[in-house]
Structures are given as structure tokens and as C-alpha cells.
Amino acid sequence: MQADSGGVRGVPPELATQLIFGVGVACDLTRRDLQSASKSARRPWCSSKGFDMSCPAGAVMPVEDLQVASIFGDGASGVFLRTCVNGKEMQRAPLSDMTWDVPHVLSHLSELWGLQEGDIVLTGTPAGVGPLEVEDVVDVRLVGSGAESAVLNIMTDETSNGGPTLIPPCSFRITHPLE
């Protein structure tokens, strides 16, 4: 592992979580119309991900305030990413189902770029992606479930139908068409 003005590179997975300041949730939106047009033209489709208000995010909670044994690895089995649209649950998946856990994601990214203070890393989404319409209300959060919730020593008082909220949620309303 090396650090310089370009950031930290070559981070092994076993040290990657030491680089994490905090945890939050975000909703990485995609304009499917731009994505389809770009794919058809065999062009990069980054414009479908980088439009105004394309990534609403909740507050970041410092890792030391979580008082969670770990949500990065074995501890992730009792933590779920939950997304509701207009109060209806659309996504619910344990973090342990991620193809790559957070330490391996950070390790891989550090091979491509220098990781720097303030970098934000989004790790992906579970099944259940769908279209959003004007006036839809979206709520994305990490929740604990069942007996695991008691073990996590949840710090927030807010709860949802899907279990205790682990960190501040990301909630927003669609005010303009996503096309």
C-alpha cells in the first residue's frame, strides 16, 4: 500500500475498512432513455448517470458512531438495503448478497485510482430496479432484521416497517420527469 498526493493505492482488502470514515445510502438514478440511445450508438453512456439530481444521498454516519461490529463482511448478513417507492417495498437484500464486499471493492478501486479523503463509493443495487414517475416518493435505507438488530446496537431512534434504521435514510421526491 502506498500513499502520496494522488491518494492511497494498492490497498489490500484486509486493510481497506481502515480507510472508511463513514457509511451512508444514496440512490444512483439512471435515465434509461439516454442509456438506450448511447448503447445503440455504441457510445459511452455516462450521460445517463450524470444528470442534474442524479444521485440523491442521505447523511453520512461516521463508522465510530455506528457501534456495529461490522457491516463489511460477516456482519453484513443481518443488514439489509431497503428501497420503498410510495411506501411500497421495491428492494430488500442483505448486504452479504453483494457480489463483492466493501473491502474488496475498495481494494480493487485502489488499483485503478488513488483513494482520497472525501471520496464517495457507491457499491451497487440489488434486484428490483424500476422506473420512477413525477411525484414518486423514494426512501432508501439500511435496516437490521430480527435478532441481528439487537446485536447491532442501533444508534438511531427512527424505525421503518422493514426494521430499525441503521443510518440516516435517503428520502426524496421526484419533481421532474427522468427523460
Side-chain angles (χ1 to χ4, degrees):
M1 183 166 70
Q2 70 181 51
D4 59 29
S5 61
V8 179
R9 295 181 174 272
V11 179
E14 59 274 10
L15 298 179
T17 57
Q18 295 175 21
L19 301 177
I20 299 172
F21 165 77
V23 178
V25 289
C27 191
D28 180 16
L29 302 173
T30 303
R31 280 193 49 187
R32 298 291 182 201
D33 60 329
L34 294 177
Q35 184 181 44
S36 294
S38 296
K39 284 182 175 181
S40 294
R42 299 179 50 93
R43 293 190 175 141
W45 45 275
C46 53
S47 62
S48 69
K49 302 298 276 181
F51 55 94
D52 290 343
M53 304 300 290
S54 64
C55 191
V60 174
M61 179 173 280
V63 171
E64 69 247 11
D65 291 348
L66 287 175
Q67 295 189 2
V68 175
S70 174
I71 63 169
F72 313 114
D74 293 341
S77 63
V79 180
F80 292 78
L81 177 69
R82 179 174 178 261
T83 302
C84 292
V85 178
N86 300 324
K88 180 180 177 190
E89 187 172 277
M90 303 302 288
Q91 294 178 305
R92 182 182 185 88
L95 296 186
S96 59
D97 280 1
M98 290 174 53
T99 302
W100 303 101
D101 64 15
V102 171
H104 284 88
V105 169
L106 293 176
S107 179
H108 177 70
L109 292 176
S110 76
E111 297 299 326
L112 302 171
W113 300 280
L115 300 179
Q116 299 187 30
E117 186 175 324
D119 282 350
I120 297 172
V121 176
L122 303 182
T123 57
T125 189
V129 172
L132 296 173
E133 304 296 333
V134 173
E135 296 302 317
D136 280 349
V137 176
V138 182
D139 183 85
V140 183
R141 59 184 69 216
L142 291 181
V143 297
S145 71
E148 292 89 351
S149 296
V151 175
L152 292 172
N153 191 14
I154 308 303
M155 290 297 295
T156 62
D157 293 330
E158 186 174 349
T159 60
S160 67
N161 293 335
T165 299
L166 301 179
I167 60 174
C170 170
S171 299
F172 60 97
R173 178 184 303 272
I174 302 297
T175 59
H176 297 80
L178 298 178
E179 53 187 26

